[in-house]
Amino acid sequence: MHSRSSSHNHNGDIETLDFDSHRKLPSAHDGSRSPSPHGLLRDDESLLSDVVDGIIERDRRKMKRIVTKYLSFASAIINCLCAGSITAFSVYGHLFLSRLLYTQFQVNAVSIAAELAMYLPVPVFGYLCDRYSPRPLSLLAATLFGLGYLLAALTYHSGPPRNGGWPFGVMVLAFVGIGMGTSCMYLSAVATCAKNFGRAKHAGLALAIPIAAFGLSGMWQSQVGSRLLYEQTAEGGHGDVDVFRFFLFLSGTLFGVGLIGSVMLQVVDEEELIDEAVEELERSGLLDESDFFQRSHPYGPNGYGTIDAASHDERFHSHHEHPSALKAREDEEERKKTWLLNAETRRFLTDHTMWFLAAGFFLVTGPGEAFINNLGTIITTLYPPPATAPPSNSPATHVSIIAVTSTVARLLTGTLSDLLAPQPPSHTPSPNRPFTLSRLTFLLTSTLLLALSFAFLASPLLAASPSLLPLVSALAGTGYGAAFSLVPIIIGAVWGVQNFGTNWGLVAMAPAAGATLWSAVYSVVYQAGVREGETLCWGRGCFASTFWAMAASVGVAMGLWTWAWRGRGGWVERGIAV
């Protein structure tokens, strides 16, 4: 062991301190010299300045991310507050019968076309949202809504087809555009919130708020139509909604909102979501099977298997890289993202519990959609001439009841699931909860209310007391709203949020098939009850058997969800906290 040596000048002061005996001392002929105190001071000042600048820049970027995240959240809420205009169909659906002289089959064909267009393309829209961003989807929604409602307004204004009005197919085409616009605007908003707040403490509430806002959209729009954009009766009172002006209002409003979303919606720190998902797949062993993750990467020998290789600090300094190196990094990040999302999609589709979840969603939302779309004709059947429905049983009132109860259910289930649902093992440590309640408990309880509402509607009690119909709408709205809030929350909890748009889009196709099936069943039963020489059906026989079957459908869904939760290979057995 060599001891430290020091050099002294003739005055006895230390001139050089050698911490390494093998260190080469500066010599006169090597051109080097000892640094002066002033030079060291300047270096220290420069270093301190760089540190301060770095801290300021880091804080500025952090603040920008926070502001962007919450501005996107606000924009998502506005999008959802307007996107659910199709839920106001009951306000004017019955006027298609009386004003355009459509049959009940044709009216249901219009609503079914909108349902199919709203749900069937969702996987495609979710795929685009995950791989690009929510902004283009919001812009597409603006275009589809603007043109769809404009075409519907002109078609309605032209009058009945048999009297020279525009063909029935044009109205169907218009509502196809409206359905697709609904899907785009809703999905762009919900996916933004899921990804921006998926790791937050109140992730359920952050997702429930825009979903609840979607339920409110039909309420305020139906009230605008019935209270502001209405026709005047011969006595000067309020008549039915002026469908032409109502459609023009929706066309302009939704076009503007979609444009705002195309600018404001943005996913923040998406790279961190991808890195966390890669780390999870690495723990599961899936990365060992991928040639992509066995290749060498420009980040070093560790590759993408470690989060350190793509840490936030490296991204922070990436703007100092050479343009070619930066481009290579971005290309590799994009390939990593594509591989990951494809792997997540395969994992989702090969999980048998996903199919139980989707099947239950089909059996619950189909009857719910059919009930909401046919509320106007249900009300009419309960008041045969010369009786008329009181204001408390008007279509607009029931749309509002469903919207309010659905909204309350979505907010409550989202909030309570954050507060009471069991936490995953990897969750940020927090005080132990004295009481936990699974999200499936909330889901099963709310769907039971939906089944009870259908059973009550089919029973003789309602025909004897039509004034109880608001209770049916309140129960149905609660069950329907809770299902639409909890199912996407459960998808995020079980399969993560990095591929949320695609995963939720695949499950969200189920209501399209369900609504088509049950609307067709309702139409067949309704038409079978129409007396010869009449166009409308009167009495409980128009729908009783349909809603008994709907109640049974919801019961089967509850069984499927229970099996996915607690059955063999279910979430409880796999240790997934839902």
Side-chain angles (χ1 to χ4, degrees):
M1 176 74 67
H2 295 279
S3 61
R4 285 185 310 191
S5 59
S6 59
S7 301
H8 295 70
N9 60 17
H10 295 292
N11 297 325
D13 297 328
I14 295 176
E15 182 177 306
T16 347
L17 184 62
D18 234 346
F19 288 91
D20 185 356
S21 61
H22 298 288
R23 177 183 171 188
K24 182 180 178 181
L25 294 175
S27 60
H29 52 268
D30 65 3
S32 61
R33 53 183 182 176
S34 302
S36 67
H38 297 291
L40 289 174
L41 182 59
R42 283 195 297 270
D43 290 342
D44 289 343
E45 290 177 347
S46 177
L47 176 61
L48 180 60
S49 177
D50 289 343
V51 170
V52 171
D53 290 344
I55 293 174
I56 293 174
E57 178 67 13
R58 183 194 62 193
D59 291 345
R60 186 188 67 80
R61 287 171 177 262
K62 182 179 179 180
M63 179 59 66
K64 182 181 179 181
R65 290 197 301 271
I66 293 174
V67 171
T68 301
K69 181 183 292 188
Y70 283 97
L71 285 178
S72 296
F73 184 63
S75 179
I77 294 174
I78 294 173
N79 268 27
C80 286
L81 272 174
C82 297
S85 60
I86 193 66
T87 59
F89 187 86
S90 298
V91 174
Y92 52 81
H94 62 288
L95 296 177
F96 287 179
L97 286 169
S98 57
R99 303 291 177 81
L100 297 181
L101 305 181
Y102 291 169
T103 65
Q104 183 63 46
F105 280 114
Q106 288 177 312
V107 174
N108 274 3
V110 173
S111 66
I112 289 171
E115 297 281 353
L116 292 175
M118 180 166 59
Y119 291 117
L120 289 183
V122 173
V124 177
F125 295 148
Y127 178 92
L128 296 175
C129 187
D130 285 334
R131 281 150 181 79
Y132 299 100
S133 75
R135 291 177 175 179
L137 221 55
S138 188
L139 180 60
L140 179 59
T143 304
L144 291 170
F145 269 134
L147 294 178
Y149 273 117
L150 178 61
L151 185 59
L154 296 176
T155 305
Y156 183 87
H157 191 64
S158 69
R162 67 183 67 175
N163 295 339
W166 289 11
F168 166 72
V170 179
M171 185 65 81
V172 173
L173 178 62
F175 272 82
V176 167
I178 292 168
M180 294 176 68
T182 302
S183 176
C184 288
M185 188 169 285
Y186 170 80
L187 189 59
S188 64
V190 173
T192 300
C193 295
K195 295 189 177 189
N196 280 342
F197 297 94
R199 297 166 296 165
K201 180 179 180 181
H202 299 293
L205 181 60
L207 196 58
I209 290 177
I211 294 175
F214 182 81
L216 280 176
S217 57
M219 182 192 72
W220 76 263
Q221 288 163 353
S222 64
Q223 292 300 319
V224 168
S226 61
R227 297 180 181 276
L228 298 178
L229 304 174
Y230 58 87
E231 298 173 338
Q232 287 191 340
T233 62
E235 295 79 18
H238 283 205
D240 289 311
V241 60
D242 188 330
V243 180
F244 176 67
R245 289 198 298 155
F246 185 53
F247 283 172
L248 289 180
F249 162 75
L250 292 176
S251 175
T253 301
L254 294 172
F255 179 76
V257 169
L259 287 182
I260 294 174
S262 68
V263 176
M264 300 295 294
L265 294 177
Q266 186 174 344
V267 178
V268 180
D269 291 336
E270 186 176 18
E271 296 87 353
E272 293 184 9
L273 285 176
I274 300 298
D275 286 339
E276 289 180 2
V278 169
E279 188 179 47
E280 181 180 346
L281 290 178
E282 182 189 36
R283 288 195 299 267
S284 69
L286 292 178
L287 294 190
D288 297 335
E289 305 170 7
S290 170
D291 292 337
F292 176 80
F293 282 90
Q294 295 302 316
R295 298 199 317 258
S296 59
H297 298 286
Y299 298 102
N302 292 333
Y304 285 119
T306 55
I307 299 302
D308 293 339
S311 65
H312 182 272
D313 290 336
E314 287 189 3
R315 291 192 193 99
F316 176 76
H317 295 291
S318 62
H319 62 281
H320 295 300
E321 292 180 339
H322 189 275
S324 61
L326 182 59
K327 181 64 166 60
R329 176 189 288 271
E330 292 174 349
D331 290 344
E332 200 70 9
E333 287 282 352
E334 188 61 32
R335 286 194 292 270
K336 176 178 69 168
K337 176 181 175 181
T338 300
W339 180 92
L340 172 71
L341 295 180
N342 291 337
E344 291 289 348
T345 302
R346 286 192 298 271
R347 185 168 72 99
F348 184 70
L349 289 174
T350 54
D351 190 335
H352 71 281
T353 60
M354 182 280 288
W355 295 102
F356 288 124
L357 181 67
F361 199 53
F362 162 81
L363 294 171
V364 166
T365 56
E369 296 276 357
F371 170 71
I372 293 172
N373 289 339
N374 292 285
L375 256 176
T377 56
I378 292 171
I379 294 169
T380 303
T381 62
L382 296 174
Y383 294 93
T388 57
S392 61
N393 258 352
S394 68
T397 299
H398 282 273
V399 169
S400 298
I401 290 172
I402 291 174
V404 170
T405 54
S406 174
T407 300
V408 171
R410 296 175 198 212
L411 291 175
L412 276 179
T413 52
T415 304
L416 292 176
S417 67
D418 282 338
L419 297 176
L420 300 177
Q423 296 180 348
S426 59
H427 197 277
T428 303
S430 60
N432 292 329
R433 293 174 177 175
F435 176 72
T436 61
L437 205 60
S438 171
R439 295 177 179 92
L440 268 297
T441 302
F442 292 113
L443 182 60
L444 294 173
T445 302
S446 59
T447 48
L448 177 61
L449 296 179
L450 183 64
L452 292 175
S453 70
F454 291 153
F456 186 69
L457 183 59
S459 70
L461 295 175
L462 187 67
S465 303
S467 59
L468 294 176
L469 188 58
L471 176 61
V472 174
S473 294
L475 292 174
T478 300
Y480 178 82
F484 263 96
S485 175
L486 287 168
V487 169
I489 291 175
I490 289 170
I491 289 174
V494 176
W495 292 282
V497 298
Q498 59 276 356
N499 202 39
F500 177 84
T502 303
N503 293 348
W504 170 229
L506 290 167
V507 174
M509 286 195 299
T516 302
L517 171 64
W518 288 107
S519 292
V521 170
Y522 178 87
S523 296
V524 169
V525 174
Y526 182 94
Q527 287 297 137
V530 176
R531 297 173 183 174
E532 188 176 351
E534 296 185 359
T535 58
L536 300 178
C537 181
W538 310 102
R540 172 175 165 266
C542 302
F543 54 77
S545 58
T546 301
F547 285 101
W548 279 124
M550 288 182 178
S553 173
V554 175
V556 173
M558 294 173 65
L560 292 175
W561 285 339
T562 302
W563 183 258
W565 178 27
R566 292 191 171 274
R568 178 177 298 178
W571 300 323
V572 170
E573 186 177 299
R574 286 150 56 180
I576 298 175
V578 290

